[in-house]
Amino acid sequence: MSLRKQATSGLVWTFAEQFGNQIIGFGVSLILARILLPAEFGLIGMISILVGFGRVLVDSGMTQSLIRNNDLEADDFSTVFYFNLAASFIIYFIVFFTAPFVADFYNQPILIKVIRLYCLTFIFSAFSAVQLAKLTKSMNFKTQTLISLPASIIGGVVGVVMAYNDFGVFSLVWSQIIISVVSTVQIWVYSGWTPGFNFNLIKFKDHFNFGYKMALSGILEVLFKNAYILIIGKYYSASQVGYYTRAETMKQLPVNNISNALKKVTFPLFAEIQGDNIRLKRVYKQLMQMVIFVLAPILIFVAVLAEPTFRLLFTAKWLPAVPYFQILCITGILKPIH
């Protein structure tokens, strides 16, 4: 298959995955938003910076190095797999004992249990990170789509059932755990790859040399994205965090669907043409123009209709999130450039 056809097919399946997951997630969130309180969503928002740091550190950019590198052997994949797995246990161990300090920072004792449960996803995800990298590198987005959609459905159903049975914030936690577990099991079944019993130190250094720079970039992004929640959670109520995270989630529907789908496909695509700077810049410019052309009018439109939309979808209890949403829509136009 030609590079152009691979990219087109990849975009189709990646958009299917993104929009499919978002439609499922949005439907689930509509139900949960009517059952749960804004404060319960706010508790999940409070740990987003900790979860974000953990996910970045577990991988440390190593799988991105696998996707970027065109000269790989079997021990490259095994080495990164065992690093990710070891890192996931170490990071979870640190998070487990850090949880009380985070709970004290926000003055929310329930966060201890929330953090210790939610961050189990680090370990489950580490078991499948290399397999996902292999699928992405080969631009096999069809398999990824067929894996992620059932996981989202099962996790969403579990979350809704638990919410109806008064599990509160833990319905959100267990929903994410189930999604992570179901995805990992499916990836092991469908990817056709298992790690060998070898760890190559030279290969590790090579991938880490690229990966740690990506990890530092990821840490900066997590800090930037969650600094607002950190401050709101510290000085205001959990409900205010819930309003802000609801507004951010709504804004991210169009932004993430388009930006993440393109990023997922274009990274391996750009890796193929990384030696041709003129072509690389031309393709990048075309993609940037296309994304902004599509995204800007969508965000302006939904910002204008924010109040009736929130009232219809989430009921009047979520209306304090509307001003946040309208401001975030304007900033979302710049996301593709970032």
Side-chain angles (χ1 to χ4, degrees):
M1 186 183 293
S2 68
L3 192 62
R4 181 183 293 273
K5 288 183 179 179
Q6 276 188 312
T8 303
S9 175
L11 275 175
V12 170
W13 281 106
T14 303
F15 272 113
E17 179 185 5
Q18 290 287 333
F19 281 101
N21 282 328
Q22 288 291 348
I23 290 171
I24 295 166
F26 186 66
V28 171
S29 71
L30 282 180
I31 300 171
L32 292 176
R34 291 170 176 268
I35 303 171
L36 303 176
L37 298 173
E40 290 169 317
F41 285 90
L43 291 171
I44 298 297
M46 287 177 177
I47 69 170
S48 58
I49 190 167
L50 185 66
V51 172
F53 281 147
R55 287 175 175 164
V56 169
L57 293 173
V58 165
D59 183 68
S60 295
M62 301 284 274
T63 54
Q64 290 169 296
S65 180
L66 290 175
I67 297 171
R68 172 181 175 271
N69 199 314
N70 291 323
D71 185 23
L72 297 174
E73 298 174 349
D75 56 349
D76 287 274
F77 296 102
S78 295
T79 297
V80 173
F81 175 84
Y82 288 119
F83 168 80
N84 282 356
L85 194 59
S88 70
F89 280 98
I90 293 170
I91 298 300
Y92 179 75
F93 179 82
I94 293 171
V95 167
F96 186 91
F97 290 101
T98 304
F101 299 103
V102 177
D104 287 343
F105 177 81
Y106 289 118
N107 195 28
Q108 295 284 350
I110 194 174
L111 285 181
I112 297 175
K113 290 183 179 179
V114 170
I115 291 169
R116 288 174 174 175
L117 266 178
Y118 196 105
C119 291
L120 285 171
T121 57
F122 296 166
I123 298 172
F124 302 135
S125 298
F127 273 100
S128 59
V130 171
Q131 289 93 327
L132 276 176
K134 284 179 69 67
L135 291 172
T136 300
K137 187 174 180 64
S138 62
M139 302 190 78
N140 185 355
F141 300 106
K142 178 180 178 179
T143 300
Q144 294 185 53
T145 302
L146 297 177
I147 287 171
S148 66
L149 294 183
S152 297
I153 293 171
I154 295 171
V157 169
V158 169
V160 170
V161 170
M162 292 186 70
Y164 269 118
N165 286 277
D166 298 323
F167 279 86
V169 67
F170 291 101
S171 59
L172 300 172
V173 175
W174 278 104
S175 178
Q176 291 302 310
I177 292 175
I178 295 300
I179 290 172
S180 183
V181 171
V182 174
S183 295
T184 298
V185 171
Q186 289 186 97
I187 288 169
W188 273 78
V189 171
Y190 294 114
S191 70
W193 179 86
T194 53
F197 295 99
N198 55 322
F199 184 93
N200 190 315
L201 187 58
I202 295 175
K203 296 291 181 68
F204 167 75
K205 290 179 179 178
D206 181 53
H207 291 297
F208 188 77
N209 186 51
F210 174 81
Y212 86 87
K213 299 163 190 172
M214 299 300 294
L216 290 175
S217 175
I219 288 171
L220 287 174
E221 183 169 5
V222 169
L223 183 62
F224 173 76
K225 287 172 63 177
N226 295 283
Y228 311 106
I229 296 176
L230 193 70
I231 295 170
I232 295 170
K234 175 63 177 176
Y235 296 104
Y236 298 92
S237 66
S239 295
Q240 290 298 325
V241 179
Y243 295 136
Y244 178 85
T245 54
R246 171 59 54 190
E248 174 71 13
T249 301
M250 281 289 287
K251 182 265 291 185
Q252 292 289 32
L253 278 173
V255 173
N256 273 359
N257 274 320
I258 296 173
S259 297
N260 287 353
L262 281 173
K263 181 170 66 175
K264 194 171 183 178
V265 174
T266 55
F267 186 43
L269 173 65
F270 288 161
E272 289 286 334
I273 59 175
Q274 60 184 302
D276 186 348
N277 285 339
I278 294 175
R279 184 184 177 196
L280 192 65
K281 291 177 181 178
R282 184 180 70 250
V283 174
Y284 182 83
K285 181 179 179 181
Q286 291 170 345
L287 286 168
M288 186 69 65
Q289 290 172 334
M290 180 182 71
V291 174
I292 294 178
F293 179 78
V294 172
L295 191 61
I298 292 174
L299 287 173
I300 293 171
F301 179 75
V302 295
V304 171
L305 296 178
E307 183 172 343
T309 301
F310 270 70
R311 187 185 297 276
L312 174 65
L313 295 178
F314 305 114
T315 71
K317 70 181 179 181
W318 286 98
L319 287 181
V322 168
Y324 301 149
F325 175 69
Q326 292 172 322
I327 295 170
L328 290 170
C329 282
I330 304 303
T331 65
I333 295 173
L334 303 176
K335 173 65 176 178
I337 298 174
H338 164 70

